[in-house]
Amino acid sequence: MDFFMQYLLLTLITLIASIFVLQKRRKAGGTKNLPPGSFGWPLVGETYQFLFNKIEHFLQERIKKHSSEIFHTSILGEPTVVLCGPGGSKFVSSNETKLVKVWYMKTQHRLFNIPDQTHAAMPKPTLEATSVKILGILKPEGISRYMGNKFESIMQQHLNTHWEGKTQVKVYPLVKAFTLTLVCHFFLGIDEPHHAAKFASDFENLHLGIYSVPVNIPGSTYRRALKAAAAIRNKIQFLINEKIDALSKGHVVDGLLAQVVCAEQGGKYVPRLEISNIIMGLMNSSHIPIAITLAFMIKLIGQRPDIYQKIVSEHGGVTKSKGYGTALDWDSIQKLKYTWAVAQETMRLYPTAPGGFREVITDITYQGFTIPKGWKIFWALIGKNKNPKYFDEPESFDPSRFEGNVPTPYTWIPFGAGPRSCPGVDYTRFVILNFIHFLITKFKWEVILPDEKVCGALIPTPAEGIPIHLHHF
């Protein structure tokens, strides 16, 4: 029912948007040398194929049809050029703010309260400072300060509750619960898993709503996401108010949230709504994407005893120097080169971000084609990752691709590139390597459904949650 409703909603919204699309197409001018491609159906463009078909298939079909790594289409009511080769990735990342600027989908604007860039006023200095402070804690020194030994206790509690004494578990829901507990502690100072669990369904709906049809009617994925975003925002603002109240009474309040709600200067507080929007966005990107990578990584390791043994050997050396059951510090993390190679290969096979949109600031000439001002560019972060031109036997799981020789530049960029690359790479590395470290020193496992179906058009999701048999040491 939800699928049919989304299809109906898509038709309705694109019917309205088509008027503007046609105007933009005429404005672009027939004399310009546009990239090859098709705008698709007169009313819906190719939005349906983009949102509901596998993104790899969407890209491969059009690359094959148009014999190019650049093509034009119509997505979300916008004339769009899709760049899916490494040259396109390099071009976009090196021309941020010069030829292109970031463009957010309507769902992103509404869910995260992102102001319209065309009409929005410049951010206040205090908000800019707050954003820098929040992003700064995602660096190694910030992670060490605010995570400290807490990761170890959260991990031990998670294993004792959900893994110890079990002979069979479903990996994906467990790692989702863990990453949610972790981001609630890291960003909000919530330490108890049962308190963090109150956010679970809301973040699930928020995540699903980002790539949905943006029509707000009962029963739609988008409406559920809007309600979820409002609920998360309210919970964060409640916590902010608690911190502010404690600080106003002279109490000593530590932690990230206490730091960012304090005035930068002059005793003024940064607007609480903006803080909650920033933190909600960071929590969203640090929760389910990391859980997806961990889940598929655990599956792939369980299917390859040779890789499992290499990881065990690598972590055994770290355990000798750090001690058993201890969280890894940054020096230890640097030593786990092979385990990180396994994580990188997992992200190549199961990418958690399909790409990003940009808006063309001025007419662009690229590869002999014109991309008109005002058009959108979909910068595909995937498409290259399974291209045999760049990766031999691209469907095979081979971590050695990331040992020694790195892939050709811009063929594998899970965290983006350039000035707008993802700031969470260190946090991601810290969480993944620590989780695998604790798991590999306690268990060996076997995958029950090696051919389990992978759902999701834009974001891969294991259909059955990756059930495994556990063997305890």
Side-chain angles (χ1 to χ4, degrees):
M1 185 65 181
D2 188 59
F3 176 83
F4 175 77
M5 181 176 294
Q6 291 208 41
Y7 181 79
L8 178 61
L9 293 177
L10 176 61
T11 303
L12 291 173
I13 191 172
T14 51
L15 175 63
I16 299 171
S18 63
I19 299 173
F20 301 100
V21 174
L22 291 173
Q23 290 177 339
K24 291 179 181 179
R25 292 175 188 171
R26 287 195 292 267
K27 187 177 180 180
T31 59
K32 293 182 178 179
N33 184 28
L34 299 177
S38 169
F39 288 115
W41 291 95
L43 297 181
V44 299
E46 295 189 314
T47 304
Y48 175 82
Q49 295 93 324
F50 177 77
L51 289 179
F52 299 112
N53 291 344
K54 292 284 186 182
I55 183 64
E56 291 94 340
H57 298 163
F58 176 86
L59 296 173
Q60 290 167 5
E61 287 172 2
R62 284 151 185 79
I63 290 173
K64 184 178 181 180
K65 181 178 180 180
H66 304 302
S67 301
S68 174
E69 293 183 344
I70 175 175
F71 60 86
H72 79 260
T73 180
S74 175
I75 300 174
L76 303 170
E78 298 285 345
T80 303
V81 169
V82 178
L83 301 179
C84 23
S89 296
K90 181 179 180 181
F91 178 81
V92 171
S93 63
S94 59
N95 285 287
E96 293 277 8
T97 72
K98 293 183 289 185
L99 299 178
V100 299
K101 63 180 180 180
V102 67
W103 182 80
Y104 295 104
M105 299 178 293
K106 183 177 179 180
T107 53
Q108 293 171 304
H109 276 285
R110 290 288 305 279
L111 294 174
F112 298 100
N113 279 347
I114 300 172
D116 186 337
Q117 293 172 297
T118 304
H119 305 290
M122 291 298 291
K124 297 177 181 179
T126 52
L127 180 56
E128 289 179 337
T130 299
S131 300
V132 170
K133 175 172 283 190
I134 293 175
L135 295 178
I137 63 95
L138 291 172
K139 297 184 181 300
E141 55 272 20
I143 295 170
S144 297
R145 175 181 176 183
Y146 291 105
M147 196 71 74
N149 295 327
K150 194 62 183 179
F151 182 97
E152 187 177 312
S153 62
I154 292 174
M155 185 73 203
Q156 292 287 10
Q157 184 177 3
H158 173 76
L159 292 175
N160 291 339
T161 303
H162 301 290
W163 298 71
E164 295 285 0
K166 307 292 193 303
T167 58
Q168 182 176 324
V169 298
K170 286 191 174 183
V171 173
Y172 183 51
L174 293 186
V175 293
K176 273 201 302 183
F178 172 78
T179 57
L180 178 59
T181 300
L182 209 60
V183 296
C184 284
H185 164 73
F186 189 60
F187 291 105
L188 303 179
I190 297 175
D191 293 335
E192 294 300 325
H194 67 277
H195 288 151
K198 295 177 182 178
F199 285 88
S201 62
D202 287 332
F203 270 109
E204 187 78 25
N205 286 328
L206 174 64
H207 185 75
L208 292 173
I210 293 173
Y211 292 101
S212 67
V213 180
V215 177
N216 183 11
I217 68 171
S220 68
T221 300
Y222 181 58
R223 168 163 282 200
R224 288 194 293 270
L226 285 172
K227 289 183 176 180
I232 295 169
R233 196 176 289 112
N234 287 339
K235 291 173 185 175
I236 294 175
Q237 290 188 56
F238 176 80
L239 293 170
I240 290 173
N241 290 336
E242 281 192 330
K243 301 291 184 184
I244 291 175
D245 183 59
L247 289 167
S248 67
K249 294 177 180 177
H251 298 163
V252 177
V253 182
D254 195 16
L256 168 64
L257 201 58
Q259 296 294 320
V260 298
V261 300
C262 284
E264 297 296 332
Q265 293 179 350
K268 296 180 179 180
Y269 293 108
V270 175
R272 302 167 197 181
L273 179 60
E274 282 83 347
I275 294 175
S276 63
N277 286 328
I278 294 169
I279 291 179
M280 181 172 66
L282 289 171
M283 290 178 69
N284 175 70
S285 60
S286 304
H287 168 32
I288 292 181
I290 293 178
I292 291 172
T293 298
L294 270 173
F296 282 112
M297 187 176 177
I298 291 168
K299 178 183 179 180
L300 292 168
I301 293 171
Q303 292 176 301
R304 289 286 298 274
D306 57 326
I307 291 175
Y308 172 86
Q309 290 299 331
K310 290 184 72 172
I311 295 176
V312 168
S313 177
E314 184 174 66
H315 284 255
V318 172
T319 301
K320 288 180 181 179
S321 61
K322 290 294 296 179
Y324 180 79
T326 303
L328 304 174
D329 56 24
W330 282 104
D331 289 337
S332 299
I333 284 175
Q334 305 310 312
K335 298 175 183 177
L336 299 176
K337 298 183 184 300
Y338 182 74
T339 310
W340 184 238
V342 174
Q344 290 174 299
E345 176 70 345
T346 302
M347 287 185 273
R348 184 188 70 82
L349 289 172
Y350 300 100
T352 59
F357 285 96
R358 299 292 186 269
E359 182 175 333
V360 178
I361 298 174
T362 183
D363 283 4
I364 292 174
T365 299
Y366 177 74
Q367 290 191 357
F369 300 110
T370 297
I371 307 177
K373 177 182 177 180
W375 277 38
K376 305 306 180 286
I377 290 177
F378 179 69
W379 172 21
L381 298 181
I382 63 176
K384 304 170 287 294
N385 59 314
K386 293 184 181 178
N387 190 330
K389 181 178 178 180
Y390 309 116
F391 296 96
D392 293 334
E393 300 182 12
E395 295 295 335
S396 66
F397 177 54
D398 182 10
S400 67
R401 303 179 202 273
F402 295 93
E403 290 186 288
N405 297 326
V406 296
T408 303
Y410 296 99
T411 58
W412 181 84
I413 45 175
F415 301 101
R420 294 193 61 86
S421 58
C422 176
V425 58
D426 289 324
Y427 179 86
T428 300
R429 191 175 184 184
F430 177 88
V431 173
I432 288 175
L433 294 183
N434 261 297
F435 191 97
I436 295 298
H437 175 69
F438 277 86
L439 200 67
I440 208 83
T441 55
K442 285 179 173 287
F443 307 103
K444 188 174 182 179
W445 58 92
E446 298 166 357
V447 176
I448 296 175
L449 300 174
D451 298 320
E452 179 179 352
K453 182 181 178 181
V454 178
C455 301
L458 295 170
I459 308 296
T461 305
E464 304 298 330
I466 307 183
I468 61 173
H469 285 303
L470 278 180
H471 302 281
H472 301 252
F473 292 149

